[in-house]
Amino acid sequence: MKKVGVAILGLGVVGGGTYKALTEHREFYKKNHGVDIVVESVLERNKERAASLGVERNAIAQNIGEICNNPQVDIVVEVLGGVEPAKSFVLAVLNAGKSVVTSNKELFCKYWHELEEAAKLNGCGLFYEATCVGGVPIIRSLLDTLQVNKITSLTGIVNSTTNYILTKMTDSGMTYKDALKKAQSLGYAEADPKMDVDGFDPVYKLSILSSLAFHTKVPYTKIYREGITEIDSTDLLYGKRLGYVLKLLAIGKNTDSGIEVRVHPALIKSTHPLAGVNDSYNAVYISGDCVEDVMLYGRGAGALPTASAIASDIIYFATHDNFNYTTFENTENADPATKFITDFKSAYYIRLQAYDMGAQTKAKSVLEKYGITAEPVIFENSGVKGVGTIIFVTDETSESNIHKAVEEINSCKGLVSVASLIRVCQ
Ligand code: HSE
């Protein structure tokens, strides 16, 4: 029986889950896939952590060089996170002729071009199913099954931490802080919560997914980014009343005018398939010219769901003779021929603070001045004389246009001001 030796760099939440999945499923893989997958080595400074997982002392490497020189190791799993030392370790391993599996979306998205070049040069495989959307087989689907399609758009909930936070705030009225703490304790959040709540993590994932979907490099620097830290729970409640759910969306579109990529909170109709994706679940909704619409759904984070993606890459490596690389030229920057749309179009939810009876008419006339059609959908008097809330939902308009209108509304001091502006995805 073919034997595949594995080394794991880092035994944190995901590394520990991977060790557990590989060791506990060893017989299952032998029986069903005809390969004996053996964890030969781990790189982990915390010896107690390694011991608690049942790793034998002699399987703990002292440094990356030991793993590079270990003839029993065929493939190395990098689950350290962050750029360094992960990048140096992965390059050393590839240059030692060993294939790599990574879950590290930041490293992968920023240095994919360099890692792929090293993998090609050394005839190694580079696998990254676990970089995006945890246990959901989205990478393999884009590479191996949906590749027959011209993919026109993908819209995803690709970050578990923020989806968990928004779900708890919407359904249980939990505060932002408490929901974040809970997400961290469940092992969903990145070490630095900024990566999740400020939208960096979904930007890295969207860069990888849209590059694969649109067959051209979509550098993360081209992606518009807005996180959830400014979300006011008032808008979650008004949204609910209007039949919307607030989600942090990653949106990629491939149109005749160019590629549009953005990560930001958005209100979606409660009947949209993504609206029911809650807690740490993630989903990606893809539209292709042959397949029409497909939605992949599952756990986007956590030890075992991510380990599932990693183990699937190892089995793929063990059962395939050739390695596939990207279909596009994997350069650091975008192909100069690729056009990116920055002034994208959207509908908007605008919550206005009204200080005078004339506020609604004034706001509507400013919106009309910029060609924006909008109807007030909620008008509420706060009980304090002369102060009320007006909510408009607009038709589609451009970002630049809505921002000009908002600026002009805000200049009407003492009459009306914009309290919230949230994109609405139809
Ligand atoms: N912090 C990430 C998330 C982990 O919450 O989705 C999985 O990529």
Side-chain angles (χ1 to χ4, degrees), residues 136-155:
V136 179
I138 180 75
I139 302 283
R140 185 89 63 235
S141 301
L142 288 171
L143 289 173
D144 285 353
T145 41
L146 293 173
Q147 83 279 51
V148 295
N149 287 270
K150 184 171 187 284
I151 294 176
T152 48
S153 75
L154 61 90
T155 306

Side-chain angles (χ1 to χ4, degrees), residues 103 105 130-134 158-162 187-190 195-196 201 205 280 282 300-302 306:
S103 66
K105 67 281 291 180
T131 57
C132 297
V133 210
V158 298
N159 182 268
S160 295
T161 305
T162 48
Y188 303 149
E190 299 295 320
M195 293 304 232
D196 297 302
D201 171 89
K205 291 168 179 164
S280 78
N282 284 185
T306 313

Side-chain angles (χ1 to χ4, degrees), residues 167-176:
T167 305
K168 293 296 167 215
M169 284 172 74
T170 307
D171 294 350
S172 329
M174 221 185 226
T175 64
Y176 169 79

